[in-house]
Amino acid sequence: MIRYVALIFLLACTSPVYPVSPRSTADSTFMVTVSYDGEDQWMGTAWIVANEDDKTQLVTAGHVCQDEPDAKFTVRNLTLMAQDGETFQAVERMHAEEPDLCLIEASGNIGRRLPLAQFMPEYGSAVAYVGAPLGIWGGGLAPLYKGYYAGGNLVSIAAAGGASGSALYTLDGVFGVLVRRTVRFESLTYIETLPDLKKFLDHAGL
């Protein structure tokens, strides 16, 4: 009996905060729209990596934050949209070109965090992401894509503009961030891997 209780305690301490699934990932994922002077310019995908009662930290691709239109634009806004259509304003906290990652922050606790995986998946592992390719998102829509880990920083999974920043996950947690796909073959997609993501978050104090 004592061993049984100890085993349950150990599992409780080592398991993620909650199971990583399509439903939980969709609940923690947002389309992020970048606008300048009130004019929408492009969109990407962001997901919750940490939260407190008064603020929420989200990860997206660095180029979602860095791209800039004509210099005549001056005021930039980042708007987050949840699957149900609710919107939140966010600000950039930190971005990098290498790795291609950006950390943004919204006021309040707007959802649950997605736990990071402990390790990269094995070659051939089934993987998935929830994102906003082509800006298809909201009103109950949250596109889900499944594929396979192809080794290194490559996954075999469909992607399109607007999906940048999506969390690639397995049942063990988030192991990468979608950053770009190959031009001639939409199902070869590059990611920033777990080690680089962890270093980026450590630098941000998370």
Side-chain angles (χ1 to χ4, degrees):
M1 181 64 178
I2 294 177
R3 290 181 180 177
Y4 180 71
V5 172
L7 177 60
I8 292 179
F9 177 77
L10 178 62
L11 290 174
C13 291
T14 58
S15 296
V17 175
Y18 59 95
V20 181
S21 66
R23 177 70 272 158
S24 64
T25 304
D27 289 343
S28 301
T29 300
F30 300 78
M31 182 175 74
V32 52
T33 301
V34 181
S35 62
Y36 279 79
D37 294 346
E39 297 183 19
D40 293 348
Q41 300 295 323
W42 59 82
M43 75 284 295
T45 301
W47 51 279
I48 298 175
V49 70
N51 51 18
E52 301 174 18
D53 290 339
D54 61 343
K55 60 185 176 182
T56 299
Q57 311 288 343
L58 304 96
V59 170
T60 186
H63 65 266
V64 172
C65 295
Q66 290 176 305
D67 289 345
E68 294 186 4
D70 193 289
K72 69 180 181 181
F73 293 96
T74 57
V75 179
R76 181 179 67 168
N77 291 303
L78 304 176
T79 302
L80 303 173
M81 179 186 289
Q83 180 186 7
D84 63 5
E86 186 174 4
T87 59
F88 309 87
Q89 294 303 304
V91 295
E92 179 185 319
R93 178 173 166 184
M94 185 179 81
H95 75 251
E97 293 183 7
E98 285 293 335
D100 185 8
L101 295 171
C102 181
L103 185 68
I104 60 179
E105 182 176 292
S107 297
N109 187 335
I110 64 173
R112 299 184 297 183
R113 72 176 182 88
L114 287 178
L116 301 185
Q118 294 298 309
F119 307 100
M120 290 293 292
E122 294 184 359
Y123 173 79
S125 295
V127 303
Y129 77 86
V130 174
L134 305 180
I136 300 172
W137 185 266
L141 302 178
L144 167 68
Y145 294 87
K146 297 182 178 181
Y148 299 94
Y149 179 54
N153 65 338
L154 186 67
V155 290
S156 299
I157 199 167
S164 292
S166 300
L168 271 294
Y169 70 91
T170 66
L171 294 178
D172 295 326
V174 177
F175 70 90
V177 178
L178 190 156
V179 290
R180 69 183 187 280
R181 67 174 177 85
T182 54
V183 175
R184 296 184 179 180
F185 193 64
E186 66 176 12
S187 293
L188 287 180
T189 302
Y190 291 95
I191 65 172
E192 296 295 356
T193 60
L194 182 63
D196 284 336
L197 174 59
K198 286 184 174 180
K199 289 178 183 178
F200 177 79
L201 295 175
D202 286 344
H203 188 66
L206 296 177

